[in-house]
Amino acid sequence: MKKDLLSLKELTPEDISYIFELAQNLKVGIGEFEKPLTGRSVGLIFQKPSNRTRVSFEVGIYQLGGNAIYLGPEDIKLGIREAIKDVARVHSRYLDGIIARTFAHKDIVSLAKHSTIPVLNGLSDSYHPCQALSDIFTIKEKLGKLANVTLSYVGDGNNVLHSLMYAAALVGMDLRFATPRGYEPDKDVVEDAKKLAEATKATVNYSDSPEEAVRGADVVYTDVWASMGQEGEHDKRVNDFKDYQINEKLFAKAKKEALFMHCLPVHRGEEVVNAVIDGPNSVVIDQAENRLHVQKALLVVYVGGKRRYDK
Ligand code: CP
Ligand code: NVA
C-alpha cells in the first residue's frame, strides 16, 4: 500500500476488504485495547470548516491511544504564512501522520510529496475518500453485499461523487449518476473509474435524467448543490439543480427498501426534502457513525503501521 491516501485510486479491492475487516472489528471493540497509536501524534490541517471529519478523527485518534492536534485555517495558513513544502518537512519531524482538508487537491498532493509521514485526505475540492469508504462500508453493513448493488447518485458532480465512483468501481458495484448539464464530474475521474470497473465487473453510467438514474436503485445518494468554497454560486445552483431534488416522488422510483444516503451537512429543502432524509429508509446518521470506525481502521493501517502488503 502507498504511504498516503489521497483519492482512493491508489487502493486495490483487497486493500478495501482489509480496511473494512479492521473497521468491523474496531466497531465491535476488537483490537482497540492494543492502543496502536500510543505515543503517536496526528496533525489535522484544515483549511475549511468540518464537523464529522474533525470530530470523528479526533475521537478515533484518542480511542486508539494517540494525540490529535487540530490546526485550523488561522493556525497554519497553509501556503500563505509558509510554503506547503516547509510545513510538510517540519511536520514530518514532529508528527506521525497528517489528515488534511484543503481547497485545491494539488495542495494535499504537495503535502504528501514533501512529507515522510502518511497524509490522509480529509476532503479536497476534488475528492473525499474517507467519506466514500465509510459510505460503502455502510452499504455493505445494511445490505449484506456490494456486488450487483445499484448506487444512484443524483446532484452535483463533485468531490463526493468522484470518490464514490472510485470506491464503487473498486468494490464491484453498479454506479449510476445524474447531474445537470454543466455540472458533470471530471471526465478523467469517470474514465479512471471505468478502468477500475473493468477488473471488478462494476459499472459506471451517466444519465441526465434523475428518474432514469434512480429507477430500481438499491441506494439513492445526494450531496449539497453548492460545496464549501462555492457559496457565491448558491442561488444560481439552486435554480440549475431544481429538477434534481430527492423528494418523495423521485425517491419512490427506487426500490421500496432503498437506502437514502447523504454525507452531511445537508441543506434541507434543497437537494433533499425532510420527508426523505428523516424517513424510515434514511441511514445518514449510521453513515456518519461509520466515519469513526472506518477512519480508525485507516489510522491503524496508515499511522499505526498495520499495513497490508501483497504477498
Ligand atoms: N461529511 C463530512 O465530511 O462532514 P464535515 O464537513 O462536517 O466534516
Ligand atoms: N461536497 C461537500 C461535501 C461536504 C462534506 C463540500 O465539499 O462542501
Side-chain angles (χ1 to χ4, degrees):
M1 282 168 86
K2 297 245 165 67
K3 173 176 82 68
D4 312 294
L5 182 65
L6 305 184
S7 77
L8 280 190
K9 212 174 69 175
E10 56 276 79
L11 294 185
T12 63
E14 292 73 27
D15 295 333
I16 294 182
S17 300
Y18 179 66
I19 290 161
F20 283 1
E21 195 185 318
L22 270 176
Q24 184 54 37
N25 284 344
L26 288 161
K27 185 164 182 172
V28 297
I30 302 170
E32 193 166 292
F33 64 91
E34 292 171 21
K35 302 280 179 214
L37 260 55
T38 299
R40 302 190 191 196
S41 295
V42 180
L44 275 69
I45 304 179
F46 279 37
Q47 285 183 334
K48 300 181 186 182
S50 170
N51 176 14
R52 278 146 292 274
T53 308
R54 176 181 175 180
V55 177
S56 55
F57 263 114
E58 287 202 27
V59 169
I61 291 162
Y62 170 77
Q63 290 180 355
L64 293 170
N67 173 45
I69 302 172
Y70 176 74
L71 301 158
E74 292 309 306
D75 294 310
I76 297 226
K77 291 189 178 289
L78 191 70
I80 302 169
R81 181 170 181 265
E82 206 168 354
I84 292 177
K85 177 178 171 175
D86 293 331
V87 171
R89 291 190 303 168
V90 170
H91 278 186
S92 296
R93 302 288 177 97
Y94 298 145
L95 300 171
D96 300 282
I98 292 172
I99 316 298
R101 170 167 286 200
T102 63
F103 287 95
H105 184 67
K106 69 172 175 40
D107 289 351
I108 297 194
V109 173
S110 174
L111 260 180
K113 179 177 164 207
H114 296 289
S115 299
T116 54
I117 53 175
V119 174
L120 277 65
N121 181 354
L123 182 147
S124 65
D125 284 350
S126 307
Y127 301 106
H128 200 0
C130 301
Q131 178 72 53
L133 279 179
S134 310
D135 296 339
I136 303 292
F137 179 84
T138 306
I139 295 170
K140 190 166 181 224
E141 183 177 60
K142 298 287 176 191
L143 302 183
K145 60 172 188 168
L146 293 171
N148 301 319
V149 169
T150 301
L151 166 59
S152 295
Y153 178 99
V154 176
D156 188 23
N158 63 14
N159 46 7
V160 167
L161 176 58
H162 287 164
S163 290
L164 277 175
M165 270 199 276
Y166 285 157
L170 280 164
V171 301
M173 295 177 76
D174 296 316
L175 179 84
R176 292 188 216 147
F177 60 97
T179 68
R181 293 282 172 194
Y183 295 98
E184 295 91 350
D186 188 294
K187 283 194 181 64
D188 292 340
V189 176
V190 179
E191 216 169 280
D192 285 346
K194 287 191 181 209
K195 267 188 218 136
L196 291 174
E198 281 168 19
T200 61
K201 298 199 165 63
T203 59
V204 179
N205 286 304
Y206 170 76
S207 166
D208 62 359
S209 156
E211 286 78 17
E212 205 177 286
V214 165
R215 192 167 300 125
D218 297 289
V219 183
V220 177
Y221 197 121
T222 191
D223 183 17
V224 290
W225 292 338
S227 285
M228 290 180 275
Q230 298 172 332
E231 291 78 3
E233 297 172 31
H234 174 263
D235 294 354
K236 175 174 168 25
R237 283 173 172 260
V238 167
N239 187 51
D240 293 348
F241 282 85
K242 60 181 182 312
D243 297 333
Y244 290 74
Q245 182 189 64
I246 309 294
N247 49 38
E248 288 156 292
K249 187 165 166 242
L250 182 57
F251 191 61
K253 302 216 178 296
K255 282 193 181 146
K256 197 168 166 289
E257 64 282 10
L259 307 177
F260 172 74
M261 299 183 81
H262 190 305
C263 56
L264 305 180
V266 57
H267 291 171
R268 289 170 176 268
E270 291 186 10
E271 71 272 13
V272 61
V273 298
N274 285 343
V276 174
I277 194 164
D278 295 331
N281 297 31
S282 174
V283 295
V284 298
I285 304 302
D286 294 333
Q287 195 184 340
E289 178 192 329
N290 282 333
R291 296 289 303 277
L292 174 66
H293 309 302
V294 170
Q295 288 166 189
K296 278 169 72 179
L298 292 174
L299 288 163
V300 170
V301 169
Y302 283 88
V303 185
K306 258 195 138 165
R307 279 173 196 252
R308 188 192 150 271
Y309 296 102
D310 286 318
K311 307 217 165 47

